[in-house]
Amino acid sequence: MFTAEMRELIKKVEATRTQRLGTAFPRMSPEEKDEVLKAYHPDYRESGFRALSLGVNRGDKVPVELADLLEANSRLAGQPLDLSRPAYDVDVLIVGGGGAGAAAALEATARGAKVLVVTKLRLGDANTVMAEGGIQGADKPDDSPALHYLDVMGGGHYTNKKELAAALVKDGPGAIKWLNDLGVMFDKEKDGTMVTTHGGGTSRKRMHAAADYTGAEIMRVLRDEVQNRRIEAIDFSPAVELILDADGKAAGAVLLNLETQEYLVARAKTVILATGGAGRLHYQGFPTSNHYGATADGLVLGYRVGAELVFADTIQYHPTGVAYPAQIFGALVTEKVRSLGATPLNIDGEQFVYHLETRDVAAAAIIRECYGRNKGIQTPTEGQGVWLDTPLIEMIHGEGTIEKRLPGMLRMYRKFGIDLRKDPILVYPTLHYQNGGLLIDEHGRTSIPNLYVAGEAAGGIHGRNRLMGNSLLDIIVFGRRAGAHAGEACRNVRLKALTLDHVAKYQQALADSGVVTDRVSPLVLPHYTHGRHED
Ligand code: MEZ
C-alpha cells in the first residue's frame, strides 16, 4: 500500500504519462556516461575498497568486505586432518550446485567421468534461480554472434577478455537449443519461434525468457537432469578448502558437513569451482537480490591456492531493486520490466535516463537523481527511490501483458497491496552480481593445473560491466565447457600424495604481511547481526 504522500506524488507521474509515451528519451553520450559513472557509481567510491596485502593480487583493490575474507584464517588452521583416507574419490569434483555446476556435471558425466557435486545448501539453491528476465543467445535471423560480441564488449567498456567474450557468444545459440531440447519452457509464439526482447545495451532482441522466472525454469530442468542421470550430489556440504597434490595440482577439497560439523575429504582428479557470487557480503551496505548462499566462497578457496582474481574491484548494482515496501527491500525488479517499456522517473514525474542504458550507467543515474540532484522519492524507511512507470507496459503492449510476461512481479507486489498495472513502483539499485572473479581460459581452466572455475565465480568474460541475460548464458556456456574439458582431462591425471601445505603457507603469509585477524573464511553463511555481516 502506498502512503498518502506517495499517492500525491503518483499524480505527478500520471500527469506526464501520455506525453511521455510519444517521446523517445535520448541516450547518453560516452562522455556523459563517463561523468555519471565516475561521480556516482559505487565502484568509484574509494572508501569501499582496499588493497590486498598478500597473494597473487597483492596491491590490487578489492571491496573491503572481500579483502577481509581473503585476509582471514583458514577454517582448517591448526586442524589435523587425515588426507590419506578420503570419504569420496572421484574424477571430477564440482563445488556448487547452481546452473554452472549442474551444466558442468552433465557434460563431465556424458564423457564417462565419475562426478560428485557438493553444494552448500540444496542442489539448485543458487543465484541461477534469482535471474528472472532472460538469457541472451543470438539465434534470430537478424542477429549473429558477431553482433552479440560487440554488445558484450561495449557493455563491458571494451575491458573484457576478448577470447572469453567470443566463446560466450559463439556458444550462445547452441546453449539456447540445448536448454530447449532438455525441456526448458521458453516463451514462444504460436508458430513455435522464441519470443525475444531487448535488454540494456543490446542491439538486437535476443533475450529468451520463461516469463519472469527464467533462471528458476532453467534450474528446474538442469536439476531434474542431474537427478535423472543419477549424478551423485551432496547437499549442505560446502567446500572449505581446496586440496592440492605434491605437484601443486588441484586434487580435491575438504568439505564441511553442516549437520554434523565434521570435515570430510573428497579426492578428485579435477575440480570445478562453481560457487556463485558475493551479494550476501552487502558491499558498501547495499541490499542484495542474491541468494542466501552468495558469500564469495569460491574466490577465497581459489585465491588461497594461488589462482588470480580479475576485475574483483567491479560490482554490478542492478538499477532496479525494490526500494519500497520494506519487506522486500533490495529484491529484484527484473530488467524485463524496462525491456517492456517501463521508464524511470524522478519525484516530478520526469524521465531522467534512457530506460535501457547499460546497468552501471542506469544505476549511477538513479543514485545521482536521488543524492546528487535531490529528486528522489523518500521512502518511509529513510531510503530514497525513483519511480518505475509500470502502467506504461500495458499502454504499449496491451492489456494482459503484465500478467502474462511478468507474473512473478505482479504477485510479489500484490502481496503488499500494490498493483503495478495501475501504479508505478519505487526502485533503487541493489547489489546483484560480481563482474569479476577467478581468471579462466576458454575451457574454464585457471592457472592452477586441474582447477576450473565456471559461472559467477569466474572473471574476465564481462569485463567491467555485464549485460542482462549474459549471466544465465555464461553459466551454461562455461559450465558446459569446464565440464567437458575436465571430463576428458581426468583420464590422464595421476595424482600424487594429497596435501594442505598451501594452507599453512597462506597462514604464514598472513603473519608475514602483518595481518592480524580473528576472522575465518570462507564465510559459508552470512551473518545478519546489526544489519550487516560480521565475524
Ligand atoms: O542477467 C540478469 O542479471 C537478469 C536476467 C536479471 C533480471 O533483471 O532479470
Side-chain angles (χ1 to χ4, degrees):
M1 289 286 267
F2 288 119
T3 62
E5 291 84 353
M6 287 173 174
R7 280 258 153 249
E8 276 308 304
L9 293 174
I10 287 176
K11 287 182 186 161
K12 295 195 186 183
V13 172
E14 289 167 345
T16 59
R17 191 172 283 147
T18 319
Q19 178 250 323
R20 278 186 283 112
L21 194 58
T23 332
F25 194 85
R27 295 171 192 223
M28 283 189 210
S29 66
E31 294 72 31
E32 286 169 323
K33 288 183 188 175
D34 208 40
E35 196 183 315
V36 73
L37 285 173
K38 288 197 172 127
Y40 291 97
H41 194 280
D43 277 0
Y44 290 87
R45 248 179 241 158
E46 296 252 322
S47 60
F49 299 86
R50 80 176 155 79
L52 288 171
S53 338
L54 77 161
V56 204
N57 290 85
R58 186 174 169 188
D60 290 353
K61 247 179 29 163
V62 302
V64 287
E65 296 82 352
L66 178 61
D68 286 349
L69 295 180
L70 294 172
E71 296 179 353
N73 298 297
S74 165
R75 288 175 175 265
L76 302 182
Q79 288 264 0
L81 213 60
D82 181 5
L83 302 177
S84 67
R85 273 199 298 271
Y88 306 98
D89 199 351
V90 295
D91 294 327
V92 183
L93 173 67
I94 300 174
V95 182
L106 294 174
E107 291 296 344
T109 303
R111 279 152 186 84
K114 182 177 177 198
V115 173
L116 173 66
V117 180
V118 293
T119 183
K120 176 156 66 177
L121 297 169
R122 293 187 185 89
L123 182 64
D125 275 344
N127 270 349
T128 300
V129 296
M130 314 300 275
E132 299 173 347
I135 172 169
Q136 292 206 43
D139 60 359
K140 286 286 172 85
D142 68 341
D143 202 1
S144 67
L147 288 171
H148 190 178
Y149 178 80
L150 292 175
D151 291 347
V152 173
M153 295 299 290
H157 304 275
Y158 301 96
T159 57
N160 324 41
K161 300 279 174 198
K162 293 186 192 72
E163 66 285 5
L164 299 181
L168 178 80
V169 300
K170 211 165 65 179
D171 288 7
I176 303 284
K177 182 172 180 325
W178 186 69
L179 291 171
N180 189 56
D181 290 350
L182 285 178
V184 171
M185 290 195 276
F186 286 112
D187 295 342
K188 292 187 181 142
E189 305 287 0
K190 286 205 177 82
D191 66 0
T193 53
M194 301 253 187
V195 175
T196 49
T197 48
H198 271 297
T202 60
S203 59
R204 293 290 184 279
K205 291 184 179 173
R206 68 171 77 90
M207 201 72 57
H208 302 64
D212 58 355
Y213 41 78
T214 314
E217 170 60 7
I218 290 175
M219 197 68 240
R220 174 187 75 79
V221 168
L222 293 180
R223 187 179 43 209
D224 274 5
E225 211 51 35
V226 167
Q227 287 167 345
N228 288 345
R229 295 187 202 182
R230 307 257 184 277
I231 298 172
E232 190 176 4
I234 308 173
D235 292 342
F236 302 114
S237 299
V240 294
E241 216 62 77
L242 291 173
I243 297 171
L244 301 179
D245 80 348
D247 286 342
K249 293 180 181 141
V254 178
L255 314 177
L256 171 63
N257 180 322
L258 289 181
E259 203 178 332
T260 62
Q261 294 296 304
E262 264 178 296
Y263 290 115
L264 296 167
V265 172
R267 180 180 187 269
K269 292 176 181 160
T270 56
V271 179
I272 303 177
L273 287 174
T275 49
R280 292 286 164 172
L281 301 188
H282 294 285
Y283 296 143
Q284 301 191 28
F286 272 82
T288 186
S289 58
N290 276 194
H291 191 267
Y292 192 64
T295 51
D297 298 0
L299 304 194
V300 172
L301 300 189
Y303 198 68
R304 279 213 186 112
V305 296
E308 186 187 346
L309 291 166
V310 280
F311 301 112
D313 61 331
T314 153
I315 307 301
Q316 179 161 93
Y317 298 86
H318 194 293
T320 59
V322 173
Y324 176 86
Q327 294 92 326
I328 47 170
F329 183 57
L332 184 65
V333 172
T334 172
E335 187 164 323
K336 190 169 175 186
V337 173
R338 281 175 291 135
S339 301
L340 291 170
T343 50
L345 309 173
N346 65 20
I347 192 166
D348 298 320
E350 293 161 345
Q351 188 167 350
F352 55 89
V353 62
Y354 172 64
H355 64 298
L356 284 178
E357 288 290 4
T358 54
R359 285 186 175 167
D360 51 353
V361 172
I366 291 172
I367 296 172
R368 175 174 67 186
E369 207 63 14
C370 292
Y371 296 103
R373 294 175 174 165
N374 245 343
K375 293 265 187 182
I377 296 100
Q378 187 70 42
T379 69
T381 45
E382 293 170 35
Q384 301 257 333
V386 296
W387 295 117
L388 189 57
D389 197 12
T390 46
L392 274 181
I393 294 174
E394 303 222 325
M395 290 170 79
I396 299 168
H397 301 282
E399 213 174 302
T401 303
I402 290 186
E403 184 154 26
K404 190 166 165 207
R405 302 192 62 189
L406 298 166
M409 291 289 103
L410 187 62
R411 196 175 331 112
M412 176 168 85
Y413 276 98
R414 250 193 199 149
K415 284 191 201 151
F416 302 98
I418 294 169
D419 185 342
L420 52 86
R421 293 170 299 190
K422 300 196 174 98
D423 286 318
I425 53 178
L426 274 180
V427 295
Y428 190 77
T430 187
L431 173 45
H432 186 60
Y433 188 78
Q434 60 190 11
N435 290 315
L438 295 163
L439 180 62
I440 56 165
D441 71 5
E442 296 102 301
H443 302 294
R445 286 179 297 191
T446 66
S447 56
I448 308 301
N450 302 340
L451 178 64
Y452 298 73
V453 186
E456 195 172 339
I461 305 157
H462 309 289
R464 301 196 69 81
N465 177 63
R466 175 179 68 79
L467 298 184
M468 172 194 186
N470 278 343
S471 167
L472 283 179
L473 180 59
D474 123 20
I475 61 172
I476 302 302
V477 167
F478 289 96
R480 292 184 74 194
R481 280 178 172 245
H485 201 280
E488 298 277 354
C490 64
R491 292 185 197 146
N492 303 317
V493 175
R494 304 279 169 272
L495 287 178
K496 298 218 170 134
L498 306 195
T499 154
L500 282 168
D501 283 356
H502 59 281
V503 174
K505 280 194 199 132
Y506 203 85
Q507 290 295 133
Q508 189 56 51
L510 276 175
D512 294 346
S513 319
V515 174
V516 180
T517 178
D518 56 4
R519 286 175 201 277
V520 290
S521 66
L523 190 59
V524 180
L525 292 173
H527 301 174
Y528 281 104
T529 322
H530 309 303
R532 52 168 310 187
H533 96 83
E534 275 157 24
D535 263 328

